[in-house]
Amino acid sequence: MIKLMKINISLTFILLLSSIPYFSDAQSERWQQAVKYDMDVKMDVKNNQYHGSQVLEYTNNSPDTLSQVFFHLYYNAFQPNSMMDVRSRTIADPDRRVGDRISKLKQDEIGYLKINSLSLDGAELEFEHVGTILEVRLDEPILPHSTVVFESEFEGQVPLQVRRSGRDSQEGVRLSMSQWYPKMANYDEQGWHAQPYIGREFYGIFGDFDVKITIDKTYILGGTGYLQNANEIGYGYEEKGTEVKRPSGNELTWHFHAPKVHDFMWAADPKYTHDKIQMDNGITVHHLYIKGPKTQEVWEKLKEYTPKALDYLSERFGEYPYKQFSVIQGGDGGMEYPMSTLITGERPLNSLVGVMVHELVHSWFHGVLATNESLYPWMDEGFTSFASALTMEEIFAKKDESNTRSFTHSGSYQSYIRLTESGLEEPLSTHADHYHTNSAYSAASYSKGAVFLEQLGYLIGAGNRDKGMLRYWDTWQFKHPNVNDFIRVMEKESGLELDWYKEYWVYSTKTIDYGIKTVEANANSGTKITLERIGLMPMPIDLVITYKDGEQEMVYLPLVIQRGEKPLEEGMPSRVLTQRWAWTHTTTEVVLDRAKSDIKSIEIDPSGRMADVNRKNNRMEF
Ligand SMILES: [Zn+2]
């Protein structure tokens, strides 16, 4: 066997890089608003109407004087001719769960949420209901760094279940109560976020919720928050061995407390079965579902998977910070809420575990990191899809040994490639409500967002990416990070410049296509390979050469603009050559020592992590 002569023209460059401390590690100091909700609600299960009072302590941590505030009144979306109704009917590819159903709701089926009175520090306020937003002008503004108290009385009607929230779901769950109370809109460094409810997801302010719900005694509840009066309620919540003493009367008041969350969901049904699973680490998992032929067996089996998923996610993405997680049958598919999720429950086991895992993963990206989902839906759904695929592989799927190319994130890559071919793609920076089609929103947020992370592993090394995810958690938990915050964490972790990656992948729809143009025998008995950038988005290249004698080697072509190299990755062939590539040059030449006749194949990125839209020109065989 001929020993390879290693060429390393960029050794000096590597040494230089590794000795420079490129980035400092300052903690984020961004201000954010704070809330403390105290709510008392009485639900009439006969007409599905409720009354409540709310005391909201609101702290303006911003440097700004606020002369107006906004509350979300989400249930008003479920009325004929609402923005959500019209949008759902007129979008090119309607969500079949919604379609024209809102337009057909009768008076006792619509949803509403009305404010009857509102005061600020005891002084009555004037306000206007504008669809799903309450606009409030303040005579006395809220000064920077001050805390005020809003007090309100509200009344609502639970809509017939159409989307996420509502009564009498298709699986017969009585009450799925999400987006049900007057919720202060968030104000941050980008100003107010008084989004009308059109259909997409949410953004809230972190704080404490203390919620008392008075409801028919036969109803069993679950949701966000720790039950404070478990021994008076029972239904499986009581401490072991306690004799439950319920107060007399036909109603019970359930008292929940949820610290450090940005929303509060609850669900209720008299037919719920309540399973309580105590984990070794002190976390309690609650499952609530209606027992029947389609649920009985699979929900029994689910008890094994929820704790496993919690453990795995805590290890990979940061420790779950609450003492409780509840998986509750309700809603219309799967939707995440702090410390809990509402999912449909009549599913085969793989689907039930899959949806539980997906919604549980949201506890990290939506629940705790709490990125603004309207502006950065892909940082929630995409990152969640990425982590769900890993979790499912770890706790559920037995990897198909016969398929050596099986790739955890192949679903996301395929969906992204289809999106690029569809002609419907819009940049990831598009506001979630403003995508032109549902399909472009979904493929971008879920799939292109997941590819963003797996491809980041290709750019900076999977090890750096994984450490970076934990660093992201440590730096930004409970702080609403944006895309720039994320990129900065990864820059610090890898020592590479990644602004270009953000700009191309997030703000544009430019695609990646690299190809092997020619392979020629060189005059000095070596081989000359010409590579070509065909797509408009530049990327670093892993070029792997396999020789007929079985030897494999890698030529690494980092971009000049990334200002460095990823480390050698586990399982990759050793690098014989590192050669920077300027993106302005559409072709580049690589010269190998060994003869062309020795080569069996040459391939660009055999790991498949670079989202090359045309892989046909990535490989040449001889
Ligand atoms: Zn999701």
Side-chain angles (χ1 to χ4, degrees), residues 201 334-336 358-359 362 373 380-382 384-385 388 446:
E201 306 199 348
M335 183 62 199
E336 67 276 13
H358 179 94
E359 305 311 335
H362 273 302
E373 288 183 274
D380 178 32
E381 293 301 349
T384 294
S385 300
S388 304
Y446 289 74

Side-chain angles (χ1 to χ4, degrees), residues 120-337:
L120 172 60
D121 289 339
E124 288 299 313
L125 291 173
E126 291 197 5
F127 50 83
E128 190 183 349
H129 291 83
V130 183
T132 55
I133 294 290
L134 188 80
E135 299 181 352
V136 186
R137 308 262 154 211
L138 305 175
D139 297 331
E140 287 289 322
I142 304 171
L143 298 176
H145 314 296
S146 69
T147 297
V148 295
V149 176
F150 289 96
E151 284 186 66
S152 64
E153 298 288 329
F154 60 89
E155 61 178 295
Q157 176 168 290
V158 188
L160 185 66
Q161 206 275 322
V162 174
R163 186 74 185 96
R164 300 193 177 100
S165 201
R167 67 174 169 90
D168 303 306
S169 75
Q170 289 200 342
E171 296 185 345
V173 174
R174 280 287 294 125
L175 298 169
S176 300
M177 299 294 291
S178 53
Q179 296 91 38
W180 58 276
Y181 61 95
K183 183 180 176 186
M184 177 67 81
N186 207 352
Y187 180 81
D188 64 16
E189 78 284 357
Q190 298 190 62
W192 279 105
H193 299 275
Q195 308 292 338
Y197 187 32
I198 312 285
R200 300 278 188 246
E201 306 199 348
F202 306 98
Y203 184 40
I205 310 169
F206 276 112
D208 289 356
F209 285 71
D210 200 87
V211 182
K212 293 195 181 90
I213 300 159
T214 302
I215 191 167
D216 185 283
K217 212 171 197 169
T218 62
Y219 277 62
I220 300 163
L221 272 63
T224 308
Y226 308 113
L227 187 58
Q228 302 295 296
N229 56 341
N231 291 341
E232 184 179 288
I233 294 286
Y235 289 127
Y237 282 102
E238 72 276 16
E239 286 162 48
K240 244 187 187 161
T242 312
E243 195 193 328
V244 178
K245 288 199 190 90
R246 295 201 181 110
S248 58
N250 297 326
E251 291 179 323
L252 270 180
T253 298
W254 296 61
H255 179 194
F256 293 97
H257 185 78
K260 252 186 154 178
V261 294
H262 53 65
D263 201 2
F264 188 96
M265 178 280 284
W266 59 283
D269 195 289
K271 301 179 296 298
Y272 272 149
T273 290
H274 176 204
D275 288 337
K276 194 159 92 176
I277 307 135
Q278 194 59 53
M279 293 173 61
D280 293 340
N281 57 10
I283 295 172
T284 309
V285 170
H286 299 271
H287 288 175
L288 289 130
Y289 66 101
I290 299 172
K291 229 174 220 175
K294 289 181 186 157
T295 54
Q296 199 157 341
E297 225 172 286
V298 283
W299 280 76
E300 184 57 37
K301 288 187 180 149
L302 185 68
K303 283 153 86 174
E304 175 192 341
Y305 293 106
T306 313
K308 268 191 187 169
L310 262 164
D311 277 340
Y312 176 73
L313 286 161
S314 285
E315 200 178 296
R316 278 296 305 261
F317 296 98
E319 191 158 354
Y320 183 74
Y322 305 108
K323 289 272 161 255
Q324 180 179 306
F325 185 74
S326 302
V327 185
I328 303 169
Q329 186 182 5
D332 55 17
M335 183 62 199
E336 67 276 13
Y337 303 99

Side-chain angles (χ1 to χ4, degrees), residues 444-565:
S445 304
Y446 289 74
S447 305
K448 192 179 180 186
V451 171
F452 172 90
L453 276 189
E454 181 61 2
Q455 188 168 250
L456 182 66
Y458 172 76
L459 285 182
I460 68 175
N464 276 338
R465 188 263 327 273
D466 292 348
K467 275 186 273 163
M469 291 308 285
L470 288 167
R471 187 170 181 161
Y472 178 49
W473 177 259
D474 288 343
T475 313
W476 285 104
Q477 55 178 296
F478 302 110
K479 287 178 186 161
H480 312 293
N482 60 41
V483 55
N484 213 51
D485 302 324
F486 181 81
I487 282 291
R488 291 293 295 125
V489 167
M490 290 298 169
E491 286 189 335
K492 289 173 187 175
E493 193 59 48
S494 65
L496 301 179
E497 245 190 76
L498 297 169
D499 53 346
W500 61 273
Y501 183 51
K502 173 188 69 183
E503 281 144 19
Y504 277 95
W505 197 254
V506 177
Y507 297 107
S508 92
T509 56
K510 290 172 181 161
T511 54
I512 302 161
D513 181 16
Y514 277 87
I516 301 165
K517 199 175 181 192
T518 55
V519 179
E520 298 158 272
N522 212 19
N524 64 0
S525 86
T527 310
K528 188 174 85 181
I529 304 168
T530 304
L531 300 175
E532 189 179 15
R533 174 174 65 74
I534 303 150
L536 294 179
M537 177 166 173
M539 283 292 280
I541 297 300
D542 284 355
L543 185 71
V544 173
I545 300 105
T546 306
Y547 293 98
K548 288 173 181 160
D549 60 12
E551 192 89 15
Q552 267 199 335
E553 59 188 30
M554 161 114 67
V555 175
Y556 176 49
L557 298 109
L559 287 169
V560 171
I561 51 174
Q562 74 187 60
R563 301 290 162 205
E565 301 175 12

Side-chain angles (χ1 to χ4, degrees), residues 401-422:
E401 301 285 344
S402 63
N403 183 4
T404 50
R405 300 258 332 189
S406 98
F407 177 36
T408 315
H409 305 285
S410 59
S412 295
Y413 276 72
Q414 284 160 15
S415 160
Y416 163 66
I417 300 288
R418 280 196 301 274
L419 173 67
T420 63
E421 293 163 354
S422 70

